[in-house]
Amino acid sequence: MSAVLQTVAGPLSVADVRGPVLAHEHLALDLTRGAGSAANLTPGHRAAITEELVALREEFGLALVVELTCRGMGRDVAATARIAADSSVAVVAATGWYYEPVRPAELTRTSPEQLARTLVGEIERGCGGSGIRPGVIGEVGSHGELPGEAEAGALRAAALAATATGLSVATHARFGRGGLAQLELLTAAGLPPHRVSIGHQDLLDDPAVHRELAASGAYVAFDTVGREGYRSDRVRLRLLLALLESGFADRVLLSCDVWRHGYLVSEGGMGYGHLFRSFLPRLRAAGVDEETIDGLTRRNPLRFLTGADGASDAREAEGRAPAAGGPEADGGPVDGSGR
């Protein structure tokens, strides 16, 4: 286990990550082939994205963004590196394969072992000849209660590559469904649960599933905060509080998952800062203390990224010294994207 993160600018000690982390975002992406013409973040949006990150760094101390755009999603690690440099916010890039509607042809004709070798190559040498190395595998996706054949292959490849390299795996569970099946598949391939984050669980109004995932040791990602067309923040707050009250504050990751340019503040959207400006104040008003919020927004994502598990590993990964002696659910998405 290492207390060093691989960012687009090179290794970064977790001890230097003093501010909050956005655990699931996108800074450069193109999903127009599978999710509609607005599903992109292009070079033309780079200035607006940089401006948002600078504002969040200055106002809230934003220290790190986990950029989960992987193979088949229009990944552009060079653009991501420029945003990181221009905003002075560290960024972790990703590798892996997304879910079936946008799968590359390589997923249908290649074994999980061969796919894993491709991922290990990127992790060790950089993405697409750029020399920029990913620091996480994700967002590896599925779109139903059980992964399809190609999705299962991508998940197994992710687990094999993660086991070989020490990286962790973040998943995309469409509308929050299928997370338990994803976790079962990943762990069956040898990956420990604490190295897994199951995505989009705030879109699933099922506290029992959240508790089961957390009890296994996996991270439960409430990573679409502010996306009211999918699920209201009122329901997200209720689901999150239920998980906290069950004793799983150390198993939760938070983010906004900006992946359409219409979500940018410059275009009238909630932006990357909705978590800090809107949702966390509501969490505080519900009685959640600052130590817990620091765990949700900083310590938990650092433990996830470094693979830390247990008290001593967690202290190292968090950059800390050892201590002395019922609202109604909303419907599905209104934008028709299926993301």
Side-chain angles (χ1 to χ4, degrees), residues 50-72:
T50 301
E51 183 178 348
E52 285 199 39
L53 298 189
V54 168
L56 295 177
R57 175 176 54 79
E58 293 176 347
E59 186 175 356
F60 300 102
L62 177 65
L64 179 70
V65 174
V66 183
E67 214 281 8
L68 289 180
T69 307
C70 61
R71 299 169 66 92

Side-chain angles (χ1 to χ4, degrees), residues 87-107:
S87 65
S88 297
V89 174
V91 175
V92 170
T95 189
W97 284 275
Y98 193 40
Y99 79 136
E100 192 163 357
V102 293
R103 68 184 182 194
E106 60 193 325
L107 290 186

Side-chain angles (χ1 to χ4, degrees), residues 141-162:
S142 63
H143 73 296
E145 293 298 339
L146 295 175
E149 183 178 357
E151 293 171 340
L155 285 160
R156 290 191 184 98
L160 294 172

Side-chain angles (χ1 to χ4, degrees), residues 162-238:
T163 302
T165 62
L167 295 192
S168 295
V169 174
T171 77
H172 164 90
R174 187 171 183 253
F175 305 148
R177 298 169 56 211
L180 290 171
Q182 289 180 341
L183 182 62
E184 181 179 1
L185 195 156
L186 291 165
T187 55
L191 191 62
H194 71 273
R195 299 263 302 281
V196 177
S197 166
I198 301 297
H200 309 329
Q201 290 307 290
D202 51 333
L203 300 181
L204 182 72
D205 192 353
D206 194 336
V209 169
H210 298 159
R211 289 192 300 269
E212 186 172 352
L213 290 169
S216 77
Y219 288 88
V220 182
F222 278 48
D223 53 13
T224 67
V225 174
R227 303 254 294 275
E228 295 275 342
Y230 286 72
R231 175 78 68 200
S232 75
D233 278 355
R234 172 176 52 82
V235 174
R236 284 188 181 88
L237 182 63
R238 185 249 296 169

